Amino acid sequence: MVKVSGASAALAVGSFFIACLGGVDAGAVTTGAPANPNIPGGECVRMFHSKGDVGCYTLNKDAARARLVSITTATEFTQTTLKEDSILIVPDTLFTTENLARLNADLVKGLLIYPTSTSPTFNYESTNPQGKGTVDGVLNPNFGSYAWNPQGRSIMASSLPYPVLEVESEAKAKTLLLDLAHKNQDTPVGSTFGVVYKGAMEYYFGPAKMDSRACLGFKNIYGNRSPKCLPVGGQSAWGVKGDLSSEKPMVVAMAPMDTNAFSHVYAPGGNAGASGLVALLAAADALKSVPSMSLKKNILFAAFQGESYGFVGSRRFLSDLKLKCANPVAAATPFGSSFCASPIKSSLAFTGVSLSNIDTAIAVDQVGVSADNMYLHVNKAASSTEALVTAITKAPSAKGRVKTSSVDGIPPGPLISFLNDQEYGNSSLASVVLSGYDTAFPNAYHSRYDVNTTVTAANVVQAAQVLAEALFASAAAPGTDIPASVQVNATLVANLLACITSDWTCATMAAYSKTAVASMNDYLQFTDDTVPSFMQPVTLYSSVYSDNRMPTIRVNKSAVVADLPGQTWQDSFKLNLYPNAYETFTRAFLATAVSDVDAQPKPCAKTKDCADSGSECVYPGVCVRRSAFFHDAFSPGLKREATYGLYTILNESMPLWTEPNWNTLGTYVFPDPGNTIGYVTLGAGAASLAIGYLLAGRFLGHFRKQKLL
């Protein structure tokens, strides 16, 4: 017979109760468990420049964890006194530098900003974007003083020492955050009993003191250079209607491809990014029926990438016009009939462009604004803009709606680079910006609210038509009537606006890109189902110049170099370049639009089917003379080295925008029981111990009675 003491019985019963209770409660409050809800939204990313940083970050590599605190009114901002580490939940209407200054920054471990309106009266950009007082102001010496964005809160120009997340929607904020913050009011700060709901924000982007120079020059523990960031950029696209080998003067039409926003995840760029580009592409398409030989001037269409960060697309293009190729290679690729292996350039076609040969330039910007008129911002430093202004304002489709702006200046965009004679431009270039605004940018500028549903497609169509007519009038012989065939396709405009801002895999973009993708896959020996990368949800932030979006030389299957100085090109080498879906489409579209119509075109599926090395296969599957190209977009203050990923800084007085490398980012919420679980467990243990003694006593008493019997 086994002898059971009262103490042993009590401990056995107590242990059972503790195990059951602990198994339930402890599992339910495990800090950071995968079951804890992730908060959907777009993070504010830290960005480096040559003298410091902007954006948001945490210095905690293991994520910042803190109590959820809701602030819903301006009064609460003035009355709230933080007493412990806190993550604040704030409506976007209250997200201002003035309100942030009222808080104890040492206790703020993060911000969760949620939208409250679809028609905001503000944005987070600077009041004079890329102008005086900003990082890019040095690149805009002639026109940087005017405040184009008076409703801007200038938060994007700040460096915030805590992470910030723009929550997906107000509904998500309510169900996942605000209700939990409200429950926290029942658990006072410092309380030793009760559950506190907390957030964890994992956004580590390097140490507090960091800039692009230190980041690009970073060395690992072995003393080898191992950069922790990449330059902002990608691939611009340009095409010429005409013959670059001729001595004809040139008219340039340009637009930015990219946009910016507080969170790069929410940078749809419906107006600031897409509307100008779509107008540019639609104008090029409208001029397709015009034979290039009939024009007295060449027309160059340029879509520049990375303009929101240091105008890197336009500046790189202009700086390369003076480039001397040390290792030219005459070999056909999907990108041209020749290229440069040192410094590496995917095509040498740009050497046929000269700044001195450009006599007129038109930039297109934010033409989808819902307004009655369009406006011309004229370069007053040029002495010969009258003919250009007349060509635009008197275009048949202008119908009195195109006015000269009341502001004496040029808004930020690629034209700034063409006019900056302190760097690569010509300040006396006859040029204008065709826009949908007069004195101020739209409220949604560089924000999550700049979506395609706010773009007036009819205004983009009219802007494209005016542009096409003005380009024809500027390039054709004086007095030549504009052909009736120069007509913008309104359906195409609507499709492009929808595709570029919401779906890079749409049917229209896929159709124009099909032969270009097939040609790249064939040349690079990729499988037929390989496709360019695309973003979902779509963002028009340019991202970084890296991986397949930068040209490299594939020496063999395991060796890739970024430069090939003094080495003979071999047929086994490959020029490796595979831009994203947006960049691939833009160049492919221009390749189709600027080519002359052939009455009997040769059909093709890929460029290899076109016998002439100077031809390429374009939509809808025909061979044409190659007239459109990619061009690198990254800071001309940087020079690529032969080793992949390494850069030499040529001019550290330039902004040199970079984005740090990062791995896991995320925000989640969880219940933190603090000491509660300990008290509950201790109480449960004490109770079970008492119950155990009681049960054991009764059992022993019953056992004694049985023994007496």
Side-chain angles (χ1 to χ4, degrees):
M1 177 179 287
V2 178
K3 184 178 180 179
V4 182
S5 68
S8 298
L11 288 173
V13 176
S15 298
F16 174 76
F17 272 84
I18 292 172
C20 291
L21 189 61
V24 174
D25 286 355
V29 294
T30 302
T31 300
N36 294 320
N38 290 310
I39 307 304
E43 65 277 350
C44 163
V45 173
R46 188 184 192 188
M47 303 293 290
F48 300 139
H49 53 83
S50 57
K51 294 180 175 60
D53 68 318
V54 299
C56 318
Y57 63 96
T58 176
L59 296 178
N60 190 335
K61 294 183 179 181
D62 299 322
R65 292 175 170 83
R67 169 191 284 256
L68 295 176
V69 176
S70 172
I71 297 179
T72 58
T73 67
T75 301
E76 289 180 1
F77 252 110
T78 60
Q79 295 179 349
T80 298
T81 301
L82 301 180
K83 298 179 180 179
E84 66 174 335
D85 290 351
S86 303
I87 292 176
L88 307 183
I89 309 165
V90 181
D92 57 1
T93 52
L94 298 180
F95 186 37
T96 67
T97 53
E98 294 79 11
N99 282 338
L100 295 179
R102 295 187 175 103
L103 300 172
N104 184 342
D106 292 334
L107 295 179
V108 176
K109 300 304 176 184
L111 296 178
L112 300 170
I113 310 299
Y114 59 92
T116 56
S117 171
T118 57
S119 301
T121 58
F122 60 88
N123 57 65
Y124 303 136
E125 184 56 280
S126 300
T127 54
N128 56 338
Q130 297 181 287
K132 186 177 181 180
T134 69
V135 176
D136 285 347
V138 65
L139 306 173
N140 189 4
N142 300 321
F143 306 102
S145 298
Y146 182 75
W148 290 101
N149 187 39
Q151 63 277 19
R153 293 181 172 177
S154 297
I155 297 177
M156 288 169 61
S158 304
S159 179
L160 303 179
Y162 39 76
V164 182
L165 181 81
E166 284 194 295
V167 182
E168 181 181 280
S169 65
E170 187 174 14
K172 292 288 186 182
K174 184 179 187 308
T175 57
L176 296 176
L177 296 169
L178 294 174
D179 290 346
L180 298 182
H182 180 72
K183 291 179 180 179
N184 278 346
Q185 296 176 4
D186 298 329
T187 307
V189 175
S191 174
T192 58
F193 193 85
V195 174
V196 175
Y197 290 92
K198 293 185 175 182
M201 304 185 73
E202 190 171 4
Y203 299 98
Y204 179 75
F205 296 113
K209 188 176 181 180
M210 183 58 65
D211 57 38
S212 291
R213 296 171 299 172
C215 184
L216 290 171
F218 184 84
K219 294 183 179 180
N220 59 25
I221 58 174
Y222 304 106
N224 299 321
R225 288 171 61 194
S226 179
K228 296 300 181 182
C229 56
L230 294 166
V232 172
Q235 291 293 315
S236 298
W238 64 281
V240 62
K241 188 172 187 64
D243 183 2
L244 289 176
S245 64
S246 69
E247 297 298 323
K248 290 181 179 180
M250 182 175 292
V251 180
V252 177
M254 67 187 81
M257 293 179 66
D258 66 306
T259 189
N260 201 4
F262 181 71
S263 169
H264 296 157
V265 175
Y266 294 139
N271 202 33
S275 69
L277 176 67
V278 170
L280 181 83
L281 298 180
D285 178 71
L287 290 168
K288 182 173 178 59
S289 62
V290 177
S292 59
M293 292 298 293
S294 68
L295 300 175
K296 298 298 182 182
K297 300 178 183 179
N298 293 324
I299 304 176
L300 188 147
F301 295 89
F304 291 116
Q305 183 65 282
E307 290 299 295
S308 297
Y309 284 92
F311 310 109
V312 296
S314 54
R315 289 175 59 234
R316 171 59 65 176
F317 182 80
L318 290 170
S319 69
D320 282 350
L321 297 185
K322 301 178 181 180
L323 176 74
K324 293 183 179 180
C325 178
N327 190 2
V329 178
T333 72
F335 320 110
S337 57
S338 62
F339 60 93
C340 186
S342 181
I344 187 167
K345 299 293 174 185
S346 61
S347 166
L348 284 172
F350 66 90
T351 59
V353 180
S354 170
L355 182 64
S356 61
N357 211 31
I358 300 174
D359 70 358
T360 305
I362 305 174
V364 193
D365 184 51
Q366 301 185 70
V367 290
V369 178
S370 179
D372 293 332
N373 297 314
M374 288 180 284
Y375 295 90
L376 285 184
H377 306 273
V378 182
N379 176 26
K380 299 294 181 64
S383 59
S384 56
T385 58
E386 183 178 351
L388 176 59
V389 171
T390 300
I392 298 174
T393 57
K394 301 301 182 182
S397 61
K399 299 179 180 179
R401 288 189 58 199
V402 182
K403 313 289 185 181
T404 300
S405 173
S406 58
V407 176
D408 186 13
I410 300 295
L415 185 57
I416 292 294
S417 302
F418 280 75
L419 299 179
N420 183 9
D421 53 5
Q422 295 184 28
E423 198 174 34
Y424 312 111
N426 172 17
S427 61
S428 61
L429 176 64
S431 52
V432 299
V433 176
L434 174 63
S435 78
Y437 53 84
D438 180 14
T439 61
F441 291 162
N443 292 339
Y445 176 74
H446 280 188
S447 79
R448 67 185 300 174
Y449 298 105
D450 189 14
V451 294
N452 60 14
T453 54
T454 65
V455 175
T456 304
N459 286 357
V460 179
V461 171
Q462 185 176 18
Q465 186 67 39
V466 168
L467 177 62
E469 293 168 356
L471 290 172
F472 180 87
S474 299
T480 305
D481 291 335
I482 299 173
S485 60
V486 177
Q487 192 66 40
V488 168
N489 184 334
T491 301
L492 175 67
V493 168
N495 287 341
L496 292 184
L497 285 172
C499 290
I500 290 173
T501 58
S502 60
D503 183 10
W504 291 356
T505 65
C506 73
T508 300
M509 291 180 71
Y512 276 93
S513 303
K514 182 178 180 180
T515 58
V517 172
S519 299
M520 291 191 296
N521 287 346
D522 177 67
Y523 172 77
L524 295 171
Q525 299 176 330
F526 292 166
T527 58
D528 292 341
D529 58 352
T530 304
V531 295
S533 61
F534 57 91
M535 304 296 294
Q536 195 62 40
V538 166
T539 170
L540 295 191
Y541 161 61
S542 62
S543 192
V544 292
Y545 178 76
S546 67
D547 299 328
N548 289 325
R549 294 179 70 208
M550 58 188 290
T552 55
I553 296 172
R554 202 168 69 200
V555 177
N556 53 53
K557 291 184 178 180
S558 59
V560 174
V561 297
D563 199 73
L564 201 67
Q567 184 174 346
T568 303
W569 181 264
Q570 299 180 27
D571 292 340
S572 60
F573 294 174
K574 294 290 183 181
L575 176 63
N576 186 67
L577 179 63
Y578 210 81
N580 66 28
Y582 179 36
E583 295 162 340
T584 297
F585 159 76
T586 302
R587 192 211 67 84
F589 187 97
L590 285 174
T592 300
V594 300
S595 61
D596 287 334
V597 176
D598 189 340
Q600 294 181 320
K602 180 180 179 180
C604 58
K606 49 184 173 290
T607 294
K608 191 168 66 174
D609 299 335
C610 304
D612 184 1
S613 63
S615 299
E616 72 166 314
C617 186
V618 303
Y619 173 83
V622 295
C623 294
V624 300
R625 181 170 58 86
R626 188 188 300 276
S627 301
F629 310 90
F630 290 117
H631 200 90
D632 280 341
F634 71 99
S635 175
L638 297 174
K639 176 185 176 182
R640 294 176 62 187
E641 298 182 12
T643 302
Y644 177 83
L646 297 186
Y647 295 86
T648 297
I649 296 177
L650 301 177
N651 188 347
E652 62 182 30
S653 67
M654 295 296 103
L656 307 180
W657 286 105
T658 61
E659 180 179 332
N661 303 337
W662 44 265
N663 294 316
T664 302
L665 300 180
T667 298
Y668 58 87
V669 295
F670 62 94
D672 183 358
N675 294 328
T676 302
I677 191 66
Y679 289 136
V680 171
T681 303
L682 181 61
S688 61
L689 187 62
I691 294 172
Y693 271 112
L694 178 62
L695 293 178
R698 296 187 64 180
F699 172 75
L700 290 175
H702 178 73
F703 181 75
R704 291 191 188 98
K705 290 179 181 180
Q706 291 294 325
K707 188 174 182 180
L708 290 173
L709 292 174

